[in-house]
Amino acid sequence: MKRQAGYIIFIAVFLLLCLVPSAGMLLADRGDGSSGANEVLSALPALRDGEGGFHADYLAQLSAYVEDNYFLRQELVTAWSALNHRVFRTSISEDVVLGRDGWLYFGGTLEDYTGSRPLDEGEIAGAARNLALMREYCEGLGARFLFTIAPNKNSMYPEHMPALPVFSARRSADSLREALAAEGVDYLDLFAVFGGQSETLYFPRDSHWNSRGAALAADSVNAALGRSSGYFSGPFSPQTVHRGDLYAMLYPAGEELDTDMVYGGALEFTYDAPIRSAENLTILTSGSREGSLLMFRDSFGNLLYPYLADSFGRALFSRATAYRLNLAGEREADCVVVELVERNLRYLLENVPVMPAPLREAPEARAEGDTSVSLLAEPSQELDGYALVSGTLPWPPAPGGSILLRADSACYEAFRLAENGFGLYLPASALAAGELSVVYDGAAVPVRMAPAESSSTN
């Protein structure tokens, strides 16, 4: 009887413990969207939609809410992660790679590190050509154009990576650098800049450079633009204040911090509009120095932008993935900088920059009447009088050629997109000017317009 009572007590305690995460949700509102990691938690769904009917996906949304917001979620995830890390030497997140000496790396960089999925010849040529079109447009407005790649952490500090097979030591960034030189695009090689430093300039438990690394990048950007700054040589002090993004993914309730080298000099700029954080989609600043900067950046710009805001009289920092180059004219920018992390180079083939397509001379081309290209067109919200036009080519274009859209007597060059795609901002009047055709690889392929309701923006 004692043994049976013990079994009953054990089962009862076990069941009560299992109920704690669910029952605890009644004690407080956990649906604030904060997880302590790089994720947004599901909010409590409404039972009825805006028209008074029942939500068809209510149960699925409720399930997602419970999964994201159960009581002690952060503490339980942290405990489970610590158990896997210390006992089994495994990461509970595919986005976090456990390195040596307590270092963590972002899982999204493994393809670059191992060389398992490099950009192919056509992708390299397409990305370089796209940047060349961006440079041409900016220089036509009187602005200096510069492209730079923020290196993945394991490209700079591979000694802390776990043992993994490396299929190719050549990076896609290396191939793109050579293609940009052939296209005449100004490129800042931060791989060489950081590789020339003996000190560690990235956080051990974050995927980004630290404040001193950002200062080095800022000085290098300024130098490449013909400007001078000395942030890297300025005063820095070690402060244990930074919570690594990779650490937060594994340990959302953890409290350990990385040491940052915090800049102690004066950065003299003000915000034209309040910001919530460095993650803002748009940041506008004013400073005491000369010149206007338009910069497209990603999360590596979070620590970088304050130095550059201090370097210019006016600056706009944008995280938009479709680069709004039309802002260069509106802002009367003297310099346009595009910073993109190494692991996201394919972004250059995924979005059409917002700028009028450049005019070209119409080449001689043979007629290809046995196939056609379907075009999608939608009026642009950013460029008045223009439409965003996109389509897919019937066969892959040659790496070194151009993709042209001929509209009657006018001809425009398009941006290359992934999977034989292309896109450009075309004057709306050109769409109705006459016969349309796509010209590439010496062939003129006729065009048919898709119905308006099928149109989609890029």
Side-chain angles (χ1 to χ4, degrees), residues 224-280:
L225 294 173
R227 306 167 69 91
S228 62
S229 61
Y231 301 112
F232 188 63
S233 59
F236 286 87
S237 61
Q239 298 181 27
T240 307
V241 295
H242 185 81
R243 190 164 189 260
D245 59 352
L246 302 175
Y247 174 82
M249 290 183 194
L250 291 184
Y251 307 109
E255 298 180 352
E256 296 184 32
L257 301 173
D258 279 344
T259 298
D260 191 12
M261 299 300 295
V262 177
Y263 183 68
L267 296 177
E268 299 178 353
F269 71 91
T270 58
Y271 293 99
D272 295 356
I275 67 170
R276 290 183 297 175
S277 73
E279 299 283 348
N280 266 41

Side-chain angles (χ1 to χ4, degrees), residues 268-348:
E268 299 178 353
F269 71 91
T270 58
Y271 293 99
D272 295 356
I275 67 170
R276 290 183 297 175
S277 73
E279 299 283 348
N280 266 41
L281 184 64
T282 301
I283 296 176
L284 292 165
T285 63
S286 296
S288 59
R289 305 196 185 186
E290 295 183 353
S292 175
L293 171 69
L294 171 62
M295 183 173 185
F296 299 97
R297 54 92 179 194
D298 51 29
S299 58
F300 273 79
N302 289 3
L303 293 178
L304 174 62
Y305 87 82
Y307 299 112
L308 294 177
D310 179 68
S311 301
F312 286 83
R314 296 188 306 127
L316 187 158
F317 303 92
S318 172
R319 290 197 63 170
T321 51
Y323 301 137
R324 291 193 59 192
L325 291 178
N326 61 311
L327 293 174
E330 295 177 16
R331 300 277 301 177
E332 298 182 343
D334 300 302
C335 302
V336 177
V337 177
V338 175
E339 172 272 313
L340 184 63
V341 66
E342 179 186 359
R343 62 182 171 84
N344 286 337
L345 292 182
R346 282 187 169 83
Y347 281 10
L348 296 171

Side-chain angles (χ1 to χ4, degrees), residues 131-203:
L131 287 165
L133 296 182
M134 295 165 63
R135 179 217 63 200
E136 177 186 346
Y137 174 72
C138 292
E139 290 183 353
L141 295 173
R144 181 82 177 269
F145 181 81
L146 178 69
F147 175 69
T148 190
I149 300 172
N152 295 334
K153 186 167 76 171
N154 46 22
S155 292
M156 292 291 95
Y157 307 101
E159 62 272 19
H160 301 287
M161 279 286 290
L164 293 171
V166 176
F167 302 98
S168 173
R170 182 173 176 80
R171 304 184 186 95
S172 294
D174 297 327
S175 301
L176 182 56
R177 180 192 67 239
E178 296 171 0
L180 290 174
E183 289 280 3
V185 177
D186 284 346
Y187 170 68
L188 169 60
D189 189 353
L190 290 177
F191 294 86
V193 170
F194 278 78
Q197 300 295 321
S198 58
E199 64 180 293
T200 300
L201 296 172
Y202 280 55
F203 293 108

Side-chain angles (χ1 to χ4, degrees), residues 25-26 28-33 41-45 58-71 73:
M25 294 179 68
L26 301 175
D29 181 14
R30 306 278 299 173
D32 60 358
L41 303 184
S42 301
L44 181 65
Y58 176 77
L59 292 179
Q61 293 177 11
L62 182 63
S63 176
Y65 168 77
V66 172
E67 183 178 344
D68 283 355
N69 296 277
Y70 57 79
F71 186 54
R73 177 186 187 272

